[in-house]
Amino acid sequence: RVYFRQGESTLDPLFRENGTRLHAFTERFRTLLQDPSRRILGLRVTAGASPEGSTVINRRLSEERAEAIRRLVYDYFPREVGWLATVPKGIDWEGLERLVDADHSIPYRYEVLEMLRHTPEWITQGGVVTDGRKHRLMLMNGGSVWRYLDRWFFPELRASTLHVWYESDRQPAAARDTL
C-alpha cells in the first residue's frame, strides 16, 4: 500500500515511507518470480481517493493513482504486466467505513456508520441531485465530524494497493502478497 498527497497522483517515494514499501515489495515479488514452486495467477491494483473534492476529480485521481502503480510494475517487471488489472474506486467509501468501524473513539461513530452504510451517495428528485452521503457527512454536528474524518481518516484513503495472487506447491490454497 502506497499513499498519495491530497489531490495528487504522482507517486512520491519520500512520502509516508512509500520508498521503503516499494523496495520491500519489489524484493518480495522478485523472490516470488524466481521461486519455481510458485506460479503467479494475477496482480490487481486498487486505488482510491478521499471524499473531499468533486466526484469527477476523485474518479480521475483514483484512475491516475492506479496507473502510477501499473507503470511502476511495468518498469520493474515488464514481462509480468500482462497479469495486471487496475480497479480505480473513485471515492473509497468502503475504506472509510472500515476505518470508522475499527475506531471506537470517533465522535458520532454509530451515526457515521449508519450514514455510510445506508445513505446513498446521491439522492435525486426528478433526475436532479438534491442531497447525498457526502453532503450529510459534511453537515453532521455542525461540520465537526467531517473535520475529524478529514484529519484522521481521509489521508488513509488516498492510496493504492497492489495484490498478488499466486499458487504454491508448498501451499494448497492460493496466497496473496500485498504492496
Side-chain angles (χ1 to χ4, degrees), residues 38-129:
R38 296 181 178 167
R39 184 174 65 90
I40 302 292
L41 300 174
L43 293 93
R44 183 181 71 200
V45 176
T46 56
S50 51
E52 72 275 23
S54 75
T55 300
V56 171
I57 289 172
N58 285 324
R59 170 57 67 182
R60 181 181 49 79
L61 275 172
S62 69
E63 289 169 356
E64 291 173 356
R65 289 169 178 171
E67 178 61 17
I69 301 303
R70 191 201 64 75
R71 280 193 315 269
L72 177 112
V73 171
Y74 183 77
D75 288 347
Y76 281 100
F77 308 100
R79 292 185 7 236
E80 281 68 32
V81 80
W83 292 316
L84 183 64
T86 58
V87 182
K89 294 180 176 184
I91 297 172
D92 187 2
W93 292 114
E94 296 84 13
L96 181 58
E97 181 184 335
R98 279 191 306 276
L99 291 169
V100 170
D101 193 37
D103 185 342
H104 295 277
S105 65
I106 177 175
Y108 298 91
R109 177 177 172 266
Y110 176 76
E111 292 84 351
V112 171
L113 286 171
E114 283 298 304
M115 193 168 300
L116 290 171
R117 291 173 178 159
H118 303 293
T119 302
E121 187 169 0
W122 304 110
I123 299 170
T124 60
Q125 291 182 348
V128 177
V129 175

